[in-house]
Amino acid sequence: MTRIHIDPALVEAMIMEMGTIGAHSGTGVWRTVYSPAWVAANDLFARWSEEAGLSVSRDAVGNVWSKLAGTEGGKSIVSGSHIDTQTPGGRYDGTLGALSALIALRALSEQFGSPKRTMEALSLCEEEGSRFPGANFWGSRAITGAIAPGDAEAMKGYSGETMAEAMLAIGLNPQAIPSAKRDDIDAFIELHIEQGPILEHADLPVAIVDAITGLRHYHVRLTGEQNHAGAFPMDLRRDPMAGFAEIASGVINTAHRLGRPAVTTIGRIAADPNGAAVVPRSVSFTVDARHPDPEKRLQLYALHEGLMREVAERRGLAIEWEIGIEKVPCLSDPGLVTTFREAAAVQGVPTLTMASGAGHDTQQMAKIARTVMIFVRSKDGRSHTPEEFSSIPDIVAGIEVLAAGLHRLAY
Amino acid sequence: MTRIHIDPALVEAMIMEMGTIGAHSGTGVWRTVYSPAWVAANDLFARWSEEAGLSVSRDAVGNVWSKLAGTEGGKSIVSGSHIDTQTPGGRYDGTLGALSALIALRALSEQFGSPKRTMEALSLCEEEGSRFPGANFWGSRAITGAIAPGDAEAMKGYSGETMAEAMLAIGLNPQAIPSAKRDDIDAFIELHIEQGPILEHADLPVAIVDAITGLRHYHVRLTGEQNHAGAFPMDLRRDPMAGFAEIASGVINTAHRLGRPAVTTIGRIAADPNGAAVVPRSVSFTVDARHPDPEKRLQLYALHEGLMREVAERRGLAIEWEIGIEKVPCLSDPGLVTTFREAAAVQGVPTLTMASGAGHDTQQMAKIARTVMIFVRSKDGRSHTPEEFSSIPDIVAGIEVLAAGLHRLAY
């Protein structure tokens, strides 16, 4: 029954120092991929890794790998997360997972010496898409070989520069991207803030994530008849706003009734012509529907589609939709879920097991490795803002679970 | 039992010739106030008036008055509508009422000689606000003395020019606007296309309008909590889009259940931040509610306000609204309604009596005179588009009712 000790003072010092790099808006951080702040953050990550006795290497896209070699060799056990942020984000989203892996490996090395299996702490270069909107998961996609030749040259940033230009500006060679591919990773474990309120409402510090949700975006347009708001009686209208309201209530209620972890959101809407005294010709909107269960998600989508068709037909409205983002659920490795749940129990950290409703690098890494995630409680469920916050006791609990699980896998 | 004859060929010829002035997009007309097309249209109206033996005068804002003097003098009986259009509008909205008055006076003069009471056909200079968004009812507001000193100098057009500049450019003196005020009008009768589908659905050519609707615009903002669309469970959200959907369905259903002539429209909506994967922070929208009955309109507003407050409170959303446009109902003179209904019956024109859901110059004229309106059936209930259309037989029926009613009032 091995227990790991993680030093809260060290954890807090590292989070606060890393948070000064790209500091913005008080407690915020603005650290887009390949920016000067990003270079400085990775240099710090590398320096701390070396101070911890880890051997540091950087790959073609700038991911930083800090290795604790195992006596028996074989495929690596990797933990980490992304070092880039939203504009601005906070100190925790992504960065906490990279620091936690480094802290866990340092603690394991100090307390237990060399492992049998090789472990690596990973600072992933890019996840947020906050400088290049098409770049999401750039770091993990390079590792899994999912970046096609020419992608870096074709991808444009918000300021007009290409990804290739941004790489060259800091000495990275876009032609070398294929060399970042890895095929020797056994397991990938990502610690991340929850970004939601489930742990807070359950009054628990840490969760083991058994799946990352499947999600589908519908881009829907309802078309009726544009009419004068005064001269057209209600009973003769074909009003797409009335149809939208019924559909919006319906899909939101459907997800609510199905219960957690089903979620459905209508975040985008536009009426045409959008005049106060005009029954609109058309209403366009998005439906974001998510469920981590491979079959229940299809049930959720089918319920939404059935409702949309029924409302449109009954109201004499034309309806058309396109499916935008479509992600299948990413199921965690059941063995890793069990390993980390048991490690948490021995460590004395109470956990729950939950699905992630947000996307993560782990979804990419799952293509080449067994995966699992660890969530740390988020204050008010917030992220992507300078106000995001997780307490040091909760973070320490999360790192203890991470380190205890890694100990079971590697020693 | 006097019957009036209106010549369909003359009616059609005048509509089509007037429709060539500012012709746009095939059957459309683009004739904004004080534009060259507007000048030409009023010159044509004046020439036709003189050819019909009417005495023509123009007031300070460019309204054209064509008088058929009565043998007994006294206050005038006036009929007309506006000669300006949307950009583009069609051949009928407004213009039909000016031409109908002219045609009716010509027919009455030809068939019955001089009247006892003085009658005037009126081409109102501006109603649509299509060149100056603040100008609505410019012509009728000048007649009722509702234009304040300095208004013409302060009012800006869509192209940046002031109303005063536009007037001076065609030889009108903004300083003289107060001279357009009239206090010698006994009755104002406006013939207009219906702009809605009620006559078409009732299979009738003409309506007598007993009221112009009261209307109120609410500008509403619902504020909840912005959240991640994946990470926040449905049961913990305070989602303003869900609240909006319930309110939109509720107010639309309320007006529908109250039955004609209640109408409620949600035409404008905006979500903030309007992202597909974000539960919005706030949703802003308009509620346009209309009822011509002075008491029932207040009941309609109270039902809407009660529902909005209840939904917001139950869902933990903040709600605030401002009232924008607020118009009290404009009731037609009961005596004039009876006169024109009886005249229609004698004339053999089947009518119904209905409220107008749209606003008209008549609302302004009602401040200084008894009023009533005559509606002519609109194809598909359409207006403010080149496709607006009323048939010559329906128009002739409408002008016969107008002329027959004027005959009762003036001979």
Side-chain angles (χ1 to χ4, degrees):
Chain A
M1 307 288 272
T2 312
R3 294 190 58 158
I4 319 286
H5 175 68
I6 299 295
D7 177 11
L10 174 72
V11 170
E12 182 162 20
M14 290 175 78
I15 291 170
M16 298 313 282
E17 185 172 346
M18 187 61 89
T20 65
I21 302 180
H24 191 283
S25 310
T27 57
V29 179
W30 185 304
R31 196 160 63 215
T32 55
V33 65
Y34 306 144
S35 66
W38 177 94
V39 171
N42 274 323
D43 286 349
L44 182 60
F45 182 87
R47 178 163 68 78
W48 282 341
S49 295
E50 285 163 357
E51 289 170 7
L54 308 177
S55 60
V56 174
S57 62
R58 306 186 190 219
D59 67 20
V61 294
N63 296 316
V64 183
W65 300 85
S66 301
K67 186 185 290 190
L68 180 61
T71 55
E72 296 181 355
K75 289 188 167 186
S76 284
I77 297 159
V78 177
S79 180
S81 190
H82 61 95
I83 201 90
D84 71 317
T85 70
Q86 292 284 335
T87 51
R91 295 170 176 149
Y92 306 90
D93 184 341
T95 303
L96 184 63
L99 294 179
S100 293
L102 168 54
I103 293 166
L105 263 56
R106 172 176 163 156
L108 289 169
S109 171
E110 286 174 357
Q111 293 169 46
F112 303 97
S114 289
K116 294 180 184 164
R117 305 276 306 274
T118 297
M119 291 190 288
E120 300 181 61
L122 173 60
S123 167
L124 286 160
C125 67
E126 204 286 334
E127 190 264 359
E128 298 286 10
S130 54
R131 181 175 178 187
F132 297 90
N136 298 68
F137 310 117
W138 186 249
S140 48
R141 281 161 55 201
I143 295 166
T144 60
I147 298 177
D151 279 4
E153 288 73 18
M155 186 180 291
K156 286 270 187 186
Y158 287 108
S159 303
E161 76 283 22
T162 67
M163 175 62 90
E165 289 164 350
M167 293 179 71
L168 288 164
I170 62 160
L172 294 171
N173 175 11
Q175 300 297 316
I177 291 176
S179 70
K181 185 161 187 276
R182 292 279 298 260
D183 56 7
D184 58 347
I185 297 175
D186 168 38
F188 178 73
I189 303 101
E190 182 173 12
L191 182 147
H192 202 280
I193 58 170
E194 182 200 336
Q195 305 181 262
I198 290 175
L199 283 169
E200 189 171 70
H201 278 258
D203 197 21
L204 290 170
V206 174
I208 309 301
V209 176
D210 60 357
I212 300 173
T213 197
L215 94 89
R216 180 178 284 182
H217 277 186
Y218 293 91
H219 299 267
V220 188
R221 185 162 62 189
L222 268 180
T223 304
E225 189 177 60
Q226 181 178 333
N227 288 133
H228 191 291
F232 249 78
M234 304 304 286
D235 54 293
L236 298 179
R237 296 182 180 189
R238 294 190 297 114
D239 178 0
M241 188 67 84
F244 165 75
E246 193 178 348
I247 287 170
S249 285
V251 298
I252 289 169
N253 288 344
T254 294
H256 199 157
R257 278 198 316 273
L258 284 179
R260 296 185 189 183
V263 284
T264 295
T265 304
I266 298 198
R268 251 183 112 80
I269 182 169
D272 176 33
N274 210 36
V278 186
V279 179
R281 177 188 310 113
S282 68
V283 174
S284 301
F285 57 99
T286 53
V287 178
D288 171 314
R290 307 186 187 209
H291 202 297
D293 183 280
E295 288 178 16
K296 286 183 183 160
R297 86 187 160 107
L298 297 177
Q299 181 195 355
L300 180 68
Y301 304 159
L303 287 168
H304 290 348
E305 293 180 14
L307 177 80
M308 291 195 288
R309 284 201 189 90
E310 189 278 319
V311 170
E313 183 174 348
R314 173 162 42 77
R315 290 181 173 272
L317 303 168
I319 191 165
E320 53 191 333
W321 63 70
E322 290 177 5
I323 292 174
I325 298 172
E326 168 86 85
K327 296 220 183 281
V328 299
C330 173
L331 302 181
S332 299
D333 178 76
L336 288 177
V337 171
T338 301
T339 297
F340 282 84
R341 288 173 65 167
E342 289 176 358
V346 169
Q347 198 68 22
V349 175
T351 63
L352 58 75
T353 303
M354 64 179 283
S356 171
H360 293 287
D361 283 307
T362 293
Q363 285 164 280
Q364 303 299 320
M365 299 299 284
K367 296 171 185 168
I368 60 166
R370 301 183 291 151
T371 61
V372 71
M373 292 189 71
I374 297 167
F375 274 175
V376 172
R377 170 162 51 187
S378 292
K379 181 170 183 340
D380 300 328
R382 301 192 69 187
S383 66
H384 290 190
T385 163
E387 282 82 43
E388 68 183 25
F389 179 74
S390 296
S391 74
I392 294 299
D394 286 356
I395 290 170
V396 167
I399 300 175
E400 284 180 1
V401 172
L402 173 63
L406 291 174
H407 183 267
R408 288 178 172 235
L409 295 174
Y411 285 85
Chain B
M1 306 286 271
T2 310
R3 294 190 59 160
I4 320 285
H5 174 68
I6 300 295
D7 176 13
L10 175 72
V11 170
E12 182 162 22
M14 290 174 78
I15 290 170
M16 298 312 284
E17 185 171 346
M18 187 60 88
T20 64
I21 301 180
H24 191 281
S25 310
T27 57
V29 179
W30 185 303
R31 198 161 60 215
T32 56
V33 65
Y34 306 145
S35 66
W38 177 95
V39 170
N42 273 324
D43 286 348
L44 183 60
F45 183 85
R47 178 164 67 78
W48 281 342
S49 296
E50 285 164 357
E51 289 171 6
L54 308 176
S55 57
V56 174
S57 62
R58 304 185 191 222
D59 66 20
V61 294
N63 296 317
V64 183
W65 301 85
S66 302
K67 185 186 292 190
L68 179 62
T71 54
E72 296 181 356
K75 289 188 168 186
S76 283
I77 297 158
V78 178
S79 180
S81 189
H82 61 94
I83 201 90
D84 72 316
T85 71
Q86 292 283 336
T87 51
R91 294 171 177 149
Y92 305 91
D93 184 339
T95 304
L96 185 62
L99 294 179
S100 293
L102 168 54
I103 293 167
L105 263 56
R106 173 176 161 155
L108 289 169
S109 171
E110 286 175 354
Q111 293 168 44
F112 302 97
S114 290
K116 292 178 186 167
R117 304 276 307 272
T118 296
M119 292 190 288
E120 299 181 62
L122 172 60
S123 167
L124 286 158
C125 68
E126 204 281 350
E127 189 265 356
E128 298 285 11
S130 54
R131 180 175 178 185
F132 297 90
N136 297 68
F137 309 118
W138 187 249
S140 49
R141 281 161 56 202
I143 295 166
T144 60
I147 299 176
D151 278 3
E153 288 73 16
M155 186 180 292
K156 286 269 189 188
Y158 286 108
S159 303
E161 76 284 22
T162 66
M163 175 63 91
E165 290 164 347
M167 292 179 72
L168 288 164
I170 61 159
L172 294 171
N173 175 11
Q175 300 297 318
I177 290 175
S179 72
K181 184 161 188 277
R182 292 279 299 258
D183 56 8
D184 58 347
I185 297 174
D186 167 39
F188 178 73
I189 303 101
E190 183 174 12
L191 181 148
H192 202 281
I193 58 170
E194 183 201 333
Q195 304 183 264
I198 292 176
L199 284 169
E200 189 172 68
H201 278 259
D203 197 20
L204 290 171
V206 173
I208 309 302
V209 176
D210 60 357
I212 299 173
T213 196
L215 95 89
R216 180 178 284 182
H217 278 187
Y218 294 91
H219 298 267
V220 188
R221 185 162 61 189
L222 269 179
T223 305
E225 190 177 60
Q226 181 177 333
N227 287 133
H228 191 291
F232 248 79
M234 303 305 286
D235 54 294
L236 298 178
R237 295 183 180 188
R238 294 189 298 115
D239 179 0
M241 188 66 83
F244 165 74
E246 192 178 349
I247 287 171
S249 286
V251 298
I252 288 170
N253 288 342
T254 295
H256 199 156
R257 279 198 315 274
L258 284 178
R260 297 186 189 181
V263 285
T264 294
T265 304
I266 298 197
R268 254 183 110 81
I269 182 168
D272 177 31
N274 210 36
V278 187
V279 179
R281 176 188 311 112
S282 68
V283 174
S284 301
F285 57 98
T286 53
V287 178
D288 171 315
R290 307 186 186 208
H291 202 297
D293 183 280
E295 288 180 15
K296 286 183 184 161
R297 86 189 161 107
L298 297 176
Q299 182 195 354
L300 180 68
Y301 303 160
L303 287 168
H304 289 349
E305 293 180 14
L307 177 79
M308 292 194 290
R309 285 201 189 89
E310 189 278 320
V311 170
E313 183 174 349
R314 173 163 41 78
R315 291 181 172 274
L317 302 168
I319 190 165
E320 55 191 332
W321 63 70
E322 291 177 4
I323 291 174
I325 298 173
E326 168 86 87
K327 296 220 183 280
V328 298
C330 173
L331 303 182
S332 300
D333 178 75
L336 288 177
V337 171
T338 301
T339 296
F340 281 83
R341 288 173 64 168
E342 290 177 355
V346 170
Q347 197 69 24
V349 175
T351 63
L352 58 75
T353 302
M354 64 179 283
S356 171
H360 293 286
D361 283 306
T362 292
Q363 285 163 280
Q364 303 299 321
M365 298 299 283
K367 296 171 184 166
I368 60 166
R370 301 183 291 152
T371 60
V372 70
M373 292 187 72
I374 298 166
F375 273 176
V376 173
R377 170 163 49 187
S378 293
K379 182 170 182 343
D380 300 329
R382 302 192 69 187
S383 65
H384 290 191
T385 163
E387 282 82 44
E388 68 183 24
F389 179 74
S390 296
S391 74
I392 295 300
D394 286 355
I395 291 170
V396 167
I399 300 175
E400 284 180 0
V401 171
L402 172 63
L406 290 174
H407 183 268
R408 288 179 173 236
L409 295 174
Y411 284 84

